[in-house]
Amino acid sequence: MYTTSYYLEHYFHMPDFIIFLALAMVLMGIVFFVFYLYAKGTNKTDKKLEHEFYYLSERFYELIFSGGSIIGFMAAYYLINRFVTEGAFKTFWDDYKDYLLLVFMVISILVNSFLDHVVLRVKHLDEDAMASIRLTGMLYMIIIFAYIKFIYEDDNYDMFIAYFLTLMIGRFVYFDASFKDFLHCIKRAIANIPIMIMALTFLGIMCLYGYSTEYLLKHNGVITNIFFTHLFIIVAMFITHFVAYKIVQGKTCVKTKRTNRIEREDNRQRHSRRESHDRVERQERPRRQDEIEVMDL
């Protein structure tokens, strides 16, 4: 039986811990770079470019937060169900685990809200955007479970799917929502598919590296390892978020300053030409006046 100290020693062993985190940060940097290129290619003004970059980044954040919070409570449920095999807590767990799963669901929602309101504040997404990205998050989770069931060939997580679908549907469908609202949400969710593909690729590269180096322990269960990888992604997002935003703000600020400097130079040149013209005009005015007087004589 593996102990807590064993897992702590394994996962925080250097340099494996730093390498895994560095990989997450590099991949997050690539994500930011792709978002910047897209925003730059689709927006002509600096203000719109900056807003689009923030909008894309926060949609990615919310997708990871949504998926990670759900995977977190599933991982906790799975680990308790697997490793707690005896004692009073086992009896309590067997009697009330379905109710405790509901508690875990509520906790996951609170964790999601904490992540997108405190850890990395999502400021550029309206309610429709939040609903659509969480719907995309449901598809994100379905793909992960499809991988676990059909490719990884593990049936241990079938019991979670019904709970998961119920929770995720409840997070974007309201009691007064109409079918038209649902279709509108679906339409907006389709626009998030490229971001979902990026997130799945990100997750896949991290897991591939983790399993190939045995940093991710197979006996922990695939859902636990996926949750653990999400934690690294969230930490990488938090670290690189401020750097990426500063760089984008700096680029747009430099470009704006350059544009303003060019405009000031143009204004100065126009003003100089106007003054030169006025000076010539003042010099020519007496001469023309003399000519008029001579003609009158």
Side-chain angles (χ1 to χ4, degrees):
M1 187 70 178
Y2 297 99
T3 62
T4 303
S5 60
Y6 166 79
Y7 289 113
L8 290 175
E9 182 179 353
H10 173 80
Y11 286 121
F12 287 95
H13 182 266
M14 299 298 174
D16 298 338
F17 174 82
I18 296 298
I19 293 174
F20 202 63
L21 179 59
L23 175 62
M25 292 174 63
V26 169
L27 293 174
M28 195 65 230
I30 294 173
V31 170
F32 282 133
F33 183 66
V34 172
F35 288 161
Y36 177 76
L37 290 180
Y38 178 83
K40 185 178 181 180
T42 55
N43 296 276
K44 295 183 178 180
T45 64
D46 294 336
K47 187 175 182 180
K48 289 183 178 180
L49 184 155
E50 194 171 337
H51 181 273
E52 181 69 14
F53 176 79
Y54 297 155
Y55 183 66
L56 292 170
S57 300
E58 291 181 3
R59 284 158 67 191
F60 185 87
Y61 295 165
E62 189 60 32
L63 180 63
I64 295 298
F65 291 157
S66 179
S69 61
I70 297 298
I71 292 174
F73 91 77
M74 289 185 172
Y77 186 92
Y78 168 77
L79 290 174
I80 294 173
N81 207 44
R82 176 181 174 183
F83 291 107
V84 178
T85 57
E86 58 184 11
F89 183 76
K90 172 63 175 175
T91 303
F92 174 78
W93 177 258
D94 289 339
D95 292 339
Y96 299 101
K97 62 181 180 181
D98 291 335
Y99 300 102
L100 293 174
L101 182 57
L102 295 176
V103 175
F104 285 173
M105 289 181 179
V106 174
I107 293 174
S108 73
I109 295 173
L110 296 176
V111 169
N112 195 165
S113 297
F114 175 78
L115 290 172
D116 60 25
H117 284 81
V118 178
V119 176
L120 283 175
R121 294 187 62 187
V122 176
K123 303 177 182 178
H124 297 81
L125 301 183
D126 56 22
E127 291 184 0
D128 286 344
M130 294 284 279
S132 66
I133 198 66
R134 286 172 178 173
L135 176 58
T136 309
M138 185 175 71
L139 178 59
Y140 173 80
M141 290 298 303
I142 289 174
I143 292 174
I144 290 175
F145 277 113
Y147 164 78
I148 294 173
K149 183 172 179 62
F150 298 109
I151 299 178
Y152 198 78
E153 296 183 351
D154 191 335
D155 297 328
N156 291 326
Y157 307 100
D158 290 351
M159 58 182 294
F160 294 128
I161 295 178
Y163 291 104
F164 159 71
L165 291 176
T166 301
L167 175 63
M168 293 303 292
I169 291 173
R171 294 178 71 176
F172 71 88
V173 175
Y174 304 92
F175 290 108
D176 59 346
S178 65
F179 185 69
K180 183 179 179 180
D181 295 331
F182 177 76
L183 291 179
H184 176 69
C185 188
I186 290 288
K187 183 178 179 180
R188 295 198 62 171
I190 292 174
N192 295 321
I193 289 180
I195 293 178
M196 182 197 69
I197 293 174
M198 293 178 67
L200 288 170
T201 304
F202 194 143
L203 179 64
I205 293 174
M206 293 286 293
C207 289
L208 179 63
Y209 174 81
Y211 280 120
S212 64
T213 59
E214 297 184 352
Y215 182 68
L216 297 178
L217 301 173
K218 292 184 178 180
H219 63 260
N220 274 354
V222 64
I223 197 71
T224 307
N225 287 325
I226 290 176
F227 169 65
F228 190 72
T229 303
H230 272 81
L231 291 180
F232 272 87
I233 295 175
I234 291 172
V235 172
M237 289 192 313
F238 179 79
I239 295 174
T240 57
H241 162 85
F242 301 101
V243 177
Y245 276 35
K246 284 294 183 182
I247 291 174
V248 172
Q249 289 174 357
K251 283 183 175 293
T252 55
C253 183
V254 168
K255 189 175 179 181
T256 300
K257 288 181 178 179
R258 184 166 59 249
T259 302
N260 292 338
R261 186 171 63 252
I262 293 173
E263 290 179 353
R264 286 196 301 269
E265 184 65 27
D266 290 342
N267 291 334
R268 189 160 47 247
Q269 291 178 359
R270 284 195 296 269
H271 182 69
S272 177
R273 287 195 297 268
R274 189 180 302 112
E275 286 186 341
S276 177
H277 178 271
D278 292 342
R279 187 167 53 252
V280 171
E281 184 69 21
R282 286 194 299 270
Q283 292 173 354
E284 290 290 329
R285 191 177 298 120
R287 187 178 62 81
R288 288 198 299 268
Q289 186 67 29
D290 292 340
E291 291 177 352
I292 293 173
E293 291 178 355
V294 170
M295 291 177 64
D296 290 340
L297 292 174

